[in-house]
Structure formats: structure tokens, C-alpha cells
Amino acid sequence: MARWLPRSPDLARFFQKLNRVKTLEDDMMETSFNRCLSTVDLTLLGIGGMVGSGLYVLTGTVAKEIAGPAVILSFIIAGFASLLAALCYAEFGARVPKTGSAYMFTYVSVGEIWAFLIGWNVLLEYMIGGAAVARAWSGYLDSIFNHKIKNFTEAHVGAWQVPFLARYPDFLAAAILLVATAFISFGAKVSSWLNHVFSAVSMGVILFILVMGFVLAQPKNWSAQEGGFAPYGLSGIMAGTATCFYAFVGFDVIAASSEEARNPQRAVPRAIAFSLGLATGAYILVSMVLTLMVPWHTLDPDSALADAFYRRGYAWAGFLVAAGSICAMNTVLLSNLFSLPRIVYAMAEDGLFFQVFSRVHPRTQVPVVGIVVFGLLMALLALVFDLEALVQFLSIGTLLAYTFVAASIIVLRFQQQKAGGPAAGGSAVAAGGRPGAEPHESPAAGELKEYESFSDKLQLVDRDKSKEHREPGQLKAAFEPYLEFLSDFYPGEVVTVAVVTLMVSAVCLCSILVFGNTHLHLPTWSYCLLLVLFSLGFFLSLLLIWAHEQQRSTQTFQIPLVPLSPALSIVLNIYLMLKLSYMTWLRFAIWLLLGLLVYFGYGIWHSKENLREPRAQRLSARYVVFPSGSLQERLQAVQPSAQPAAELPDTHTAEDGKR
């Protein structure tokens, strides 16, 4: 029976396949897409992706059912957490100007299977986002006509009483998605022009809402008679924060469009900063206005802003808001349909998804097959599913993508730049060497080391520990006397282990915070003890990462305070994920299992990294570097290219005699 069990070398190769990273081209600016988008184009794409149904629908839903007027605090916390994630996206988008967003960022730094799972979840995120916005668009248009569309559909088609499905099929939502799909197929310039028009109308409507809303504001609506400012307490605020993440998912459309930006190194970070700042301010101010105009418990979750103006006696204003919100939601539809096919294209181009989606139309220079197929899938989702169930599912995919991108930033910062890797300014380290290596460095006196691979280990053998200049991933000189046992590891290995430990500690810490008093019913002493232990593990992992050298400043944008900023993003994202309902996690687990079936059934076999893997060799060599003699003398015997092949046997014999 033992012969049927996999051998250790086979298992090692299998796990290496799962964790292999993507090899980037030398010229990352080369692309089959049309680089035609400016900083303004990207900024308006980001604003269009964030300011839409979240502003006109989620503000009312979260205020009435989850947080009350404290929805303002929910948006502030969600905006701060999104800022941490956005900075990570900005650094990656500038350094790796390729389409794919979180999928691409994870692939170049963490590993293939993790990248596929992130890409798989991002696909669902965009499909659900587009479907949810289309249903909100339909609901707002229906409210303008006094729900005549809904009543007509229920009377002639019928109503459903099925969990997670809409009460009636929304043909209008499906139709608008099909129309938007057709426009997106015409190319990036057409999509950008349409987005400019709708964004201008949307920002005008938001300005009107703020001015008119503050005129009609009544502070008594936050008083104790109406339930107070935070009727659901801190738990409601944090639960609202998890749902409010839906409002900020649009900024990653900028990173997904980096392959079509003229100057991604500058345009991507600036566009992300501008769009996220404007969107966060709009959400906070509109939430404030909405809950001051009418009591929070009387809001209409489906069309809160328009209904608030109607109830205050300004029917014309409500009509204007409803019409403007439709324009805003059009920008979100364009954003989702713009990003989704490009992420599918990136996965298909790498061989992890079906190859048909990697085809780019020669005239429009967009992935038309992906646009049409996933536009149809979005239309199907909008036709039959309930908006609230879709929004809850959307948040978990977004938070998971943010978490992995933040972890990827830490891993990438403490890795040595490899050939074909994301190096600043397009430079890369030559294979078999390291930047800044001196040609005549020798090992420290009295040091004996054995290595199994000459090309992989030369840089470690040739390291001078007393030299101040150290490469990324190596232990800082100040910590070496105290952590000397860590200096024998590969540069970056300890950091990778510490990142995994940090994430595990964050999951345990957040689980205790969320479930310790409610579901687990822990005694006070054990609750506090576990909090201290997991917090200690988190901060020790953070300190261990910080004790290593990271890559020096580059010409592209870099997130400040690494590893602290990404670590805060990780722990906050995990906390918000755990605040979501168990049904959301169940549906998420089912989607992940489907993704694993696709990966192991197709992706792992068709990955283009298979073509770059060297063929397995049965021969292996071991090299011993002695403290005496120079490094060059000891290694001459294992460099066949430096001397004629006929002389190799004699040279090896002579060297063996010396040893």
C-alpha cells in the first residue's frame, strides 16, 4: 500500500507549484491594451466606482437597520480601513502596472494558488457589485414612477417567496446591464467618456443634496426621543462598518486599469488618493444630512434620500435626487463592467483560467469575450437575486482581497529584487547574483558552511556580516547580536514566516474579540488571558518583521510605516470579516470550493509558469566553502564554463587532492 502514497520529492514539487510566483516581463509597460487614460480619467473612474448605490442605498439601509445616525462613524472607520488598503493598492499599481488588481499583486509576491483564490473572489465581487447596483438603479427608477414597474411585474409575471431571491424578477435591472455591456465593448476611451458625463451629473446632485439637506436639517432627529445617536451601540457601528465596505470597493478599478494608464507610476497613486478622499467625504456628509432631515427609524431603505425629500414637502427635489442617483449608479455599472473582464483576462493570460477570455479585440483593444460573458452573468444575477443578500456576500470578498494585498506588501518589501520581478524603474537583479555584491568578499573567519545549490546560495556564502550595507530580508545589524540564529536563513524567509504568524494571531485575536463574550461565553480571566497572548503574538511577529532590512526607497510610490500600516489593515479587515453573518461565510466557503475545483481541474495544469520551470534533474552537487583560501579558488572546480571541458576531470582531481 505504501507504493501508492506520494513520495516526499513529489509532495515538495506539488507544494512548490502551489506557491510559485509570477515572472514578470522585463518591460512592464509593454501591453496589448491601449494606454490612453490620464490621472483625471482614473480619478473619475474611482469616484464613479465608489459614489453610486452605496451613497443612495446603503446610507439608508445601514442607518435604519444596523447603526442609526452612527452610520457616520461606520463610514469613517470603513474609510480609514479602505485608506490603508488603498495605499497598498497604490504601491502595487505603481510598481506593477499590469491589469489584474489584487490577483496580480498576490501572484507576484505570495503564490499562485492564493492569487487564483483572490482572483476568483474578485470575480464574484464584481459580478455581485454590478448586479446589486443594477437592482438599486431599477428600484430608484421605479420609485420615480410610484412603483408602477414593480406592480406591473408582480401582476403579470408573479411574485417569489424564496430565501435570497428577489420578490419578483427585475427585467429592468437586467436590461440596463446589457446596455452597459454593449457600451463597454467599444473600448476604453468610450467607457471613459461616458463615465465623465455621468460623474459630472452625480457630483452636481451630491452638491445639491448637501446644500439643501443642511437647510432642512433638524438636530432633534439625533435626540434621545428619536432613539439617540447610536441606538445599536458599538456593535451596531462595527457591523455597519463591515457592510459599508461595499461603498469603497470601487477604488481598485484604478489598479485594475493601470495597464491602460499613460503614466501608471504617477497616475495610479494620485488617482487612488484623490478618489478615495472625495468619496469618503461625500459619504460622511450625506449620511449626516440624511439622518438630520428625517428620523433614522422612518427611513425607506430602498430610496432613502429621495423619500426624505418627498416627506419634507419637496417633491421636485426628490425627483431630482432620484434622477441624479441613476446617473451615479451608471458610473458604478461602468466601473464594474470595466474592471471584471480585465481581471478575467489577466487570469486567462497566465493560464489559470479558460484561454478564451485572454483574447483582445484588435480594433477596440478590449477583452470582448470576457465583457460579453460576464455582462450576461451579471444580468442573470440582477434578474433573480435579492440586493441585501448580494451586498453581504460582496463585503467578505473585498475584505479578503484587502487582507492579502496588505500581506503581499510586507512580503514584497522584505524580498530581494529578482530578475523579472517588480523592481523600481524597470531594473532587475541579474540571475545568480545580488545588487551591491562585492567581487572579492570572503566568508567570515572560522565559518564553515555547506550549500546544495551554487546559483541559489552564492549570495549567502559571499556575505560579509560586518558590512553595514545589507540586502532586503536580512537581519539588521543592530539586532544580530540578539537574534544571531536567524542570520542563517534565506533573506526574506523569516519575514514570510512572521507574516503567516501575524495573520494567524490576528485571526485568533479578532475571534476572541467578536465571539469571546457572545458565542464562546468565556470567563473574564480566560478572555483577558487569550487577548494578551494573541496580542503578544501579533506584536512579536510585527517586531520580528521590523528587525529585518526592507527595500530602499524607489522612484515609485511606497506606503509609509511598513510593516505597521499593512498590519493594521490586516487586523481591521479580519475583524470586519468576522462581523459578517454565518450564512455569508457558508456561501463564501461554497464559492471557494468551486474555485479550488477550477484551479486543480484546469489552472494548475495550464499555468504558464509551467513553461518556466526547469526540468527535474537527478544529479545534485554539494559545495563546501572552507574558511581558508579565497572564495574564487574554492569555486573554480564547479564552474565548467570557465575552462575547457577536457580539463575538468584533472581539475576536479586536483581540487579533491587539496581537500
Side-chain angles (χ1 to χ4, degrees):
M1 181 177 179
R3 62 181 180 179
W4 296 102
L5 296 176
R7 297 175 300 171
S8 297
D10 295 332
L11 285 175
R13 283 194 296 271
F14 175 72
F15 286 112
Q16 285 174 357
K17 282 180 176 289
L18 297 182
N19 292 284
R20 57 193 170 189
V21 296
K22 178 178 174 62
T23 304
L24 294 172
E25 300 84 0
D26 293 333
D27 184 9
M28 287 189 286
M29 293 297 290
E30 183 180 353
T31 176
S32 57
F33 289 98
N34 180 21
R35 288 197 178 274
C36 59
L37 301 180
S38 65
T39 303
V40 174
D41 296 330
L42 293 176
T43 301
L44 290 177
L45 272 176
I47 293 174
M50 288 182 278
V51 180
S53 62
L55 188 74
Y56 295 96
V57 178
L58 274 188
T59 48
T61 302
V62 177
K64 182 175 183 179
E65 301 176 358
I66 302 177
V71 63
I72 298 169
L73 299 180
S74 295
F75 275 116
I76 291 175
I77 299 172
F80 174 74
S82 295
L83 175 63
L84 295 175
L87 292 174
C88 297
Y89 274 76
E91 176 171 340
F92 263 121
R95 296 184 65 178
V96 188
K98 290 290 185 181
T99 191
S101 189
Y103 156 77
M104 179 64 67
F105 305 155
T106 306
Y107 202 175
V108 300
S109 56
V110 177
E112 184 172 284
I113 188 172
W114 311 109
F116 177 86
L117 292 178
I118 291 298
W120 182 252
N121 284 297
V122 169
L123 296 186
L124 184 65
E125 169 193 326
Y126 277 116
M127 282 196 295
I128 289 177
V133 173
R135 288 196 64 88
W137 185 95
S138 172
Y140 254 82
L141 188 63
D142 191 30
S143 68
I144 294 177
F145 295 101
N146 199 24
H147 302 291
K148 291 182 179 179
I149 300 174
K150 171 186 174 182
N151 296 334
F152 178 84
T153 305
E154 289 184 348
H156 292 80
V157 179
W160 300 332
Q161 301 295 333
V162 181
F164 309 118
L165 295 184
R167 185 175 177 181
Y168 63 94
D170 198 335
F171 296 104
L172 187 60
I176 187 59
L177 277 168
L178 296 178
V179 173
T181 299
F183 278 108
I184 292 293
S185 302
F186 291 139
K189 289 299 293 182
V190 175
S191 305
S192 178
W193 180 82
L194 279 175
N195 184 71
H196 286 190
V197 174
F198 289 131
S199 294
V201 175
S202 176
M203 288 187 285
V205 171
I206 291 171
L207 186 61
F208 167 79
I209 291 173
L210 295 179
V211 173
M212 194 71 178
F214 278 116
V215 171
L216 300 176
Q218 295 178 337
K220 67 176 184 179
N221 291 325
W222 285 4
S223 64
Q225 290 84 355
E226 299 292 348
F229 179 75
Y232 297 100
L234 180 62
S235 177
I237 293 173
M238 297 309 297
T241 300
T243 303
C244 287
F245 252 82
Y246 170 69
F248 297 101
V249 301
F251 73 80
D252 61 351
V253 67
I254 300 173
S257 308
S258 59
E259 196 164 341
E260 291 163 280
R262 294 173 189 164
N263 184 6
Q265 286 77 14
R266 297 181 62 185
V268 170
R270 290 180 179 181
I272 287 178
F274 294 155
S275 60
L276 185 62
L278 291 172
T280 304
Y283 278 113
I284 293 170
L285 293 175
V286 170
S287 299
M288 186 181 300
V289 163
L290 178 63
T291 54
L292 284 173
M293 285 177 62
V294 294
W296 61 270
H297 52 81
T298 64
L299 291 171
D300 181 4
D302 295 327
S303 53
L305 282 169
D307 184 67
F309 279 107
Y310 277 124
R311 290 170 54 197
R312 292 300 302 272
Y314 293 87
W316 60 270
F319 182 85
L320 182 63
V321 169
S325 67
I326 289 175
C327 290
M329 285 183 267
N330 284 339
T331 65
V332 184
L333 286 178
L334 291 173
S335 173
N336 280 273
L337 283 168
F338 188 87
S339 302
L340 174 57
R342 284 153 176 80
I343 295 172
V344 175
Y345 164 84
M347 298 175 68
E349 182 69 12
D350 293 333
L352 301 185
F353 206 57
F354 305 111
Q355 199 67 26
V356 66
F357 294 112
S358 65
R359 297 175 184 173
V360 176
H361 194 277
R363 187 170 62 84
T364 60
Q365 293 182 286
V366 294
V368 174
V369 176
I371 292 173
V372 173
V373 170
F374 285 93
L376 291 173
L377 288 176
M378 276 191 198
L380 180 62
L381 285 176
L383 184 68
V384 299
F385 280 96
D386 179 37
L387 173 64
E388 184 177 354
L390 295 176
V391 170
Q392 285 287 329
F393 201 103
L394 173 65
S395 296
I396 193 169
T398 305
L399 291 167
L400 185 67
Y402 288 175
T403 302
F404 268 85
V405 171
S408 299
I409 280 289
I410 300 177
V411 173
L412 185 66
R413 278 288 193 93
F414 292 88
Q415 278 184 348
Q416 290 187 323
Q417 294 175 348
K418 302 176 183 179
S427 63
V429 179
R434 65 180 176 88
E438 296 292 338
H440 297 294
E441 292 178 2
S442 59
E447 185 176 281
L448 178 65
K449 290 185 179 294
E450 181 172 288
Y451 299 95
E452 294 185 357
S453 171
F454 169 76
S455 60
D456 290 340
K457 300 289 187 175
L458 176 59
Q459 56 185 348
L460 296 182
V461 175
D462 198 26
R463 183 177 61 196
D464 184 2
K465 293 186 177 182
S466 63
K467 192 174 179 66
E468 291 184 2
H469 174 74
R470 291 171 180 256
E471 297 305 318
Q474 293 180 347
L475 196 65
K476 292 180 179 177
F479 293 95
E480 193 162 277
Y482 312 100
L483 301 172
E484 188 175 1
F485 64 96
L486 297 177
S487 60
D488 293 330
F489 289 90
Y490 254 142
E493 275 187 340
V494 177
V495 172
T496 302
V497 174
V499 169
V500 174
T501 306
L502 182 144
M503 295 183 71
V504 172
S505 300
V507 170
C508 296
L509 176 62
C510 294
S511 299
I512 297 300
L513 288 173
V514 175
F515 305 116
N517 289 326
T518 54
H519 295 76
L520 300 178
H521 303 292
L522 295 175
T524 304
W525 67 269
S526 60
Y527 179 83
C528 296
L529 177 62
L530 290 175
L531 283 182
V532 171
L533 289 177
F534 294 132
S535 299
L536 190 62
F538 180 84
F539 286 109
L540 285 178
S541 301
L542 194 61
L543 288 174
L544 189 59
I545 297 170
W546 180 71
H548 289 76
E549 297 284 354
Q550 60 177 289
Q551 294 178 8
R552 292 166 180 78
S553 299
T554 64
Q555 295 178 353
T556 58
F557 172 80
Q558 286 188 313
I559 178 175
L561 301 177
V562 173
L564 180 61
S565 298
L568 289 177
S569 179
I570 289 172
V571 71
L572 189 54
N573 294 333
I574 291 174
Y575 179 83
L576 294 176
M577 277 194 287
L578 294 177
K579 293 292 290 184
L580 296 172
S581 66
Y582 75 94
M583 283 303 299
T584 300
W585 278 97
L586 179 61
R587 293 193 292 269
F588 175 70
I590 295 172
W591 180 252
L592 277 185
L593 289 176
L594 291 175
L596 289 174
L597 289 176
V598 173
Y599 175 74
F600 287 111
Y602 181 90
I604 194 172
W605 307 105
H606 295 83
S607 172
K608 290 190 176 179
E609 292 302 315
N610 288 330
L611 304 177
R612 297 186 175 95
E613 289 182 351
R615 294 185 178 181
Q617 297 180 359
R618 295 180 179 274
L619 298 178
S620 62
R622 306 175 75 90
Y623 310 109
V624 179
V625 180
F626 291 89
S628 61
S630 67
L631 178 64
Q632 285 72 22
E633 291 174 352
R634 294 299 130 199
L635 296 178
Q636 282 178 355
V638 295
Q639 300 185 54
S641 60
Q643 45 198 305
E647 297 180 6
L648 287 179
D650 296 334
T651 305
H652 278 284
T653 305
E655 189 66 14
D656 292 338
K658 291 180 184 179
R659 297 183 182 180

